Amino acid sequence: MHNFIKITESISHYDNLEKKTVRDILSEINTEDQSVAITVKEAIPQIEKLVEEIIPRMRKGGRLFYIGAGTSGRLGVLDASEIPPTYGMPPNCIIGMIAGGDQALRSPVENAEDDTEQGWKDLCLHQINTNDTVIGITASGTTPYVVGALRAAHAEGVLTASISCNPDSPVSAEVDIPIEIVVGPEYVTGSSRMKAGTGQKMILNMISTSLMIKMRRVKGNKMVNMQLTNQKLIDRGTRMLMDELTIGKEQARSLLLLYGSVSKALESCRE
């Protein structure tokens, strides 16, 4: 590991940032961001392999755990927290875990990411088993909290994967399916919440969305199991039923509110 070079920490291609105009700063950040999607595209075979492995496990009741520290941990918690309202899945289907616990979502918890043992201890609180999957998210690929958790999970026969932004990083050696997106130096040197974070967010979107489609939480192209937690979503569900059943707005809205989701309303009307 002593020869391992962190590209995520390498010097920015840009300098004297404080002397630039706002337009120049914004344009240069945008230029850098455009390269991220291309880099993610190159990782699709690894992402595909991972999703194909998770699907049968999730169909047997297995859960997906995201585990990370700092920005990476926050991105995992964000993706996990959006699955119940968007797809009507139970909150323990995809679980986001961050070094230092929920307090660390808003403010750093000192040394939390440096603890090699704590990640596995946190996973064990959920009675983790071999139907489950653990994805470690770490831009550097070296975060001890994440690496330690994945090493222990792998040893227990749990499917493991990693999302990192350095080639041949230590975390990749610990998992069944390593996903590496080498996005290059950040605009502000070492600020991995930027391109690295954007790339990680893209991959998490791809993993969870493809899983939910394959778990039949989408019909056609619509979120038929979304929770009706606000007026916008009730209106969207009403339009879905109007389209699917060729009925008027009032009838569609009544059906939606009666059954609580588009999918249940459709089932009732087709029985």
Side-chain angles (χ1 to χ4, degrees):
M1 197 193 291
H2 61 282
N3 292 324
F4 178 62
I5 297 167
K6 295 183 187 179
I7 293 175
T8 49
E9 297 291 327
S10 54
I11 301 296
S12 171
H13 295 313
Y14 304 83
D15 203 358
N16 300 311
L17 303 187
E18 71 277 19
K19 296 176 182 174
K20 295 179 184 290
T21 65
V22 171
R23 172 59 69 92
D24 285 345
I25 293 168
L26 299 177
S27 297
E28 289 170 0
I29 291 173
N30 179 249
T31 297
E32 289 298 301
D33 284 346
Q34 288 178 46
S35 67
V36 178
I38 296 163
T39 308
V40 170
K41 182 180 179 181
E42 292 166 4
I44 286 177
Q46 288 74 44
I47 303 168
E48 175 191 25
K49 184 179 178 186
L50 174 57
V51 173
E52 294 282 14
E53 289 278 351
I54 297 172
I55 291 167
R57 288 168 169 79
M58 196 168 270
R59 285 182 177 157
K60 288 191 286 187
R63 299 157 298 172
L64 172 57
F65 291 88
Y66 297 138
I67 189 163
T71 298
S72 297
R74 290 182 192 100
L75 288 169
V77 171
L78 172 65
D79 193 80
S81 67
E82 289 174 342
I83 297 308
T86 308
Y87 296 106
M89 293 294 276
N92 64 346
C93 172
I94 301 183
I95 298 169
M97 301 174 63
I98 183 169
D102 283 359
Q103 178 191 344
L105 290 171
R106 293 185 181 275
S107 42
V109 175
E110 195 172 350
N111 299 327
E113 69 174 60
D114 298 326
D115 190 331
T116 311
E117 311 290 324
Q118 191 60 47
W120 177 244
K121 288 177 186 171
D122 290 348
L123 285 168
C124 286
L125 294 174
H126 294 270
Q127 288 81 46
I128 189 164
N129 63 72
T130 51
N131 281 335
D132 298 327
T133 304
V134 181
I135 301 178
I137 313 166
T138 161
S140 67
T142 62
T143 308
Y145 176 82
V146 177
V147 174
L150 290 168
R151 182 181 295 140
H154 185 263
E156 293 292 328
V158 178
L159 176 67
T160 55
S162 59
I163 304 171
S164 62
C165 301
N166 283 313
D168 304 316
S169 66
V171 76
S172 294
E174 302 289 349
V175 299
D176 299 301
I177 304 172
I179 298 167
E180 294 181 340
I181 48 160
V182 184
V183 295
E186 296 288 3
Y187 184 70
V188 175
T189 299
S191 181
S192 55
R193 73 185 188 90
M194 298 183 76
K195 285 191 298 181
T198 298
Q200 290 170 327
K201 176 77 168 88
M202 286 179 171
I203 292 171
L204 293 171
N205 277 346
M206 293 163 81
I207 292 170
S208 57
T209 303
S210 56
L211 280 174
M212 290 301 103
I213 292 168
K214 289 300 178 184
M215 292 296 288
R216 299 182 178 165
R217 310 307 284 184
V218 172
K219 178 173 169 50
N221 56 20
K222 297 183 176 69
M223 301 178 287
V224 290
N225 290 284
M226 63 191 175
Q227 292 177 1
L228 306 175
T229 51
N230 60 45
Q231 199 57 51
K232 176 190 77 174
L233 297 178
I234 292 170
D235 291 344
R236 184 186 295 162
T238 299
R239 288 196 302 275
M240 287 184 199
L241 288 176
M242 288 167 68
D243 292 344
E244 286 286 327
L245 301 172
T246 324
I247 56 176
K249 185 174 183 179
E250 287 309 312
Q251 188 184 354
R253 183 184 169 88
S254 298
L255 273 173
L256 179 67
L257 295 177
L258 176 63
Y259 289 100
S261 76
V262 174
S263 61
K264 286 179 182 167
L266 287 173
E267 281 170 27
S268 73
C269 292
R270 287 174 175 163
E271 283 174 352

